[in-house]
Amino acid sequence: MHRPLTILGIESSCDDTAAAVVRDTDILSSIVYGQTSLHAQFGGVVPEIAARAHAEKLDHCVEEALAEAKLTFADLDGIAVTAGPGLIGGVLSGVMCAKGISAATGLPLIGVNHLAGHALTPRLTDKLAYPYLMLLVSGGHCQFLIVEAHDRFQRIGGTIDDAPGEAFDKTARLLGLPQPGGPSVERAARTGDAKRFALPRPLLNQPGCDMSFSGLKTAILRARDGVVFDKGGLTPQDQADLSASFQAAVTDVLIEKTRRALDAYLLMQPAKPAFAIAGGVAANGTIRNGLQTLCAGLDTDFVAPPLELCTDNAAMIAYAGLERMQAGESDDLTLSARPRWPLDQRASPMLGSGKKGAKA
Ligand code: KG4
Ligand code: ZN
């Protein structure tokens, strides 16, 4: 048995400034400052504004995380920081902050891949054993990963264009529903007829686990324009039917592709098969229920961490750093920030390996 490590985590790769303290699998504190209001008028995250806001907030965030954990730097074993992928200015702000603390305190510095943070979260929340299958699905990510070890990930599929969260956000904009689009489309869909509009299920007829959501954005635009052309506008029922039809298309694609990803994963004959999801889209009830039912039919545990740990946070970075440190790994002050950093270096490059979309 190893002695429990206490790690400070720092995250600033997109539009959340976050710091957290994790001891073993206990989250002692987790502070997240969002920047939504700073970017609202621009329709997406503005990298320079994000970087400046991170630089202003990071040290307060670290102070708060330590205070809430009732610890000082002297109680820590290391500083873990997101070193990529993400918006370079934001990642640099975090890396510089962590380097400063490391230089001043002598604590080891541990660079963490942001996607590894998401992918290892089920170990922090549910102590999942390797290997497990993971679906990262948000406004910026969409990929299937078989997580074999803290530093071994097999990407077996992902989006070839947009992430589903981005498609939800675009759909909401097209239908005149508020942002973020996911929750408002889900709400509208509750009273809608999912069969009224025949939207495509992109790449469903092709083998493998790759997905595509950009065609669906165009299809919803055409369907909306058709209704507007006929009636001169959208009624609340039209909004509901378009939302339900869109959500059904995304759900069908995610479930069928997950079925195939599970087939590939179960070939590894894991002792305790498990499938976990992370990312904002994992909050969607229809998608979540569909995935849960699929897993139940395949005797596979379904793990959905609490939403605040599915979306960007620093507890996941602290925990991923903790696993690196337990494996005897750390970095030094030459650690650099990487805008792109695929988890699976063997897989061919694709958009899903970085961060893009409305939040990136
Ligand atoms: O993980 P997240 O907070 O941030 C990143 O994208 O990194 O995910 C945000 C995305 C947004 O696109 C939002 O519309 C989507 O997750 N989302 C949802 C739901 N709640 C949030 N999509 C579908 N259904 C939801 N209930
Ligand atoms: Zn993320």
Side-chain angles (χ1 to χ4, degrees), residues 11 13-14 16 85 114-115 118 136 138 140-141 279 310-313 316 355 359:
E11 156 64 34
S13 64
C14 189
D16 292 302
H114 176 88
L115 298 171
H118 280 301
L136 298 185
S138 69
H141 320 291
C310 277
T311 53
D312 288 353
N313 66 87
M316 68 179 190
K355 288 188 84 173
K359 292 200 71 184

Side-chain angles (χ1 to χ4, degrees), residues 87-356:
L87 299 173
I88 192 67
V91 179
L92 263 172
S93 304
V95 168
M96 295 310 286
C97 173
K99 281 185 182 176
I101 298 171
S102 173
T105 58
L107 284 165
L109 177 70
I110 310 143
V112 167
N113 183 311
H114 176 88
L115 298 171
H118 280 301
L120 298 182
T121 299
R123 288 177 57 74
L124 169 64
T125 57
D126 292 76
K127 299 188 169 55
L128 271 197
Y130 296 123
Y132 54 90
L133 178 68
M134 183 88 205
L135 170 61
L136 298 185
V137 64
S138 69
H141 320 291
C142 185
Q143 52 185 308
F144 289 109
L145 293 166
I146 296 179
V147 185
E148 297 174 44
H150 80 280
D151 58 352
R152 221 168 50 241
F153 306 88
Q154 239 190 86
R155 196 193 65 211
I156 57 172
T159 183
I160 59 167
D161 41 51
D162 302 329
E166 195 189 344
F168 268 99
D169 294 337
K170 175 81 186 284
T171 298
R173 270 196 292 279
L174 290 173
L175 303 185
L177 299 170
Q179 295 293 318
S184 40
V185 169
E186 181 175 21
R187 208 173 310 116
R190 281 195 198 117
T191 51
D193 172 7
K195 295 210 165 61
R196 176 163 160 210
F197 298 95
L199 300 177
R201 271 61 176 160
L203 299 191
L204 212 56
N205 295 328
Q206 292 188 27
C209 307
D210 281 345
M211 292 165 279
S212 160
F213 296 97
S214 71
L216 206 46
K217 291 196 310 199
T218 315
I220 198 86
L221 169 70
R222 294 229 175 87
R224 180 207 63 171
D225 286 352
V227 178
V228 172
F229 183 78
D230 289 344
K231 302 191 191 169
L234 296 180
T235 65
Q237 193 57 52
D238 294 328
Q239 286 176 319
D241 293 345
L242 284 160
S243 293
S245 302
F246 167 81
Q247 184 172 270
V250 175
T251 306
D252 284 355
V253 170
L254 286 175
I255 288 181
E256 177 52 28
K257 295 291 180 170
T258 303
R259 183 194 311 280
R260 294 182 202 172
L262 276 165
D263 283 347
Y265 160 69
L266 291 172
L267 282 179
M268 296 173 82
Q269 300 187 318
K272 228 179 155 304
F275 168 72
I277 48 174
V281 180
N284 185 286
T286 307
I287 293 172
R288 210 177 169 107
N289 292 342
L291 293 171
Q292 193 158 15
T293 308
L294 174 69
C295 288
L298 293 168
D299 277 336
T300 299
D301 278 347
F302 175 78
V303 175
L307 199 59
E308 67 273 17
L309 294 174
C310 277
T311 53
D312 288 353
N313 66 87
M316 68 179 190
I317 303 304
Y319 180 75
L322 189 145
E323 286 218 17
R324 280 202 66 198
M325 213 174 159
Q326 273 172 352
E329 301 167 9
S330 65
D331 293 290
D332 57 28
L333 296 179
T334 62
L335 174 70
S336 48
R338 301 173 62 172
R340 298 192 71 76
W341 185 2
L343 272 184
D344 181 351
Q345 310 282 349
R346 294 157 303 180
S348 54
M350 72 191 308
L351 290 170
S353 61
K355 288 188 84 173
K356 67 186 286 281

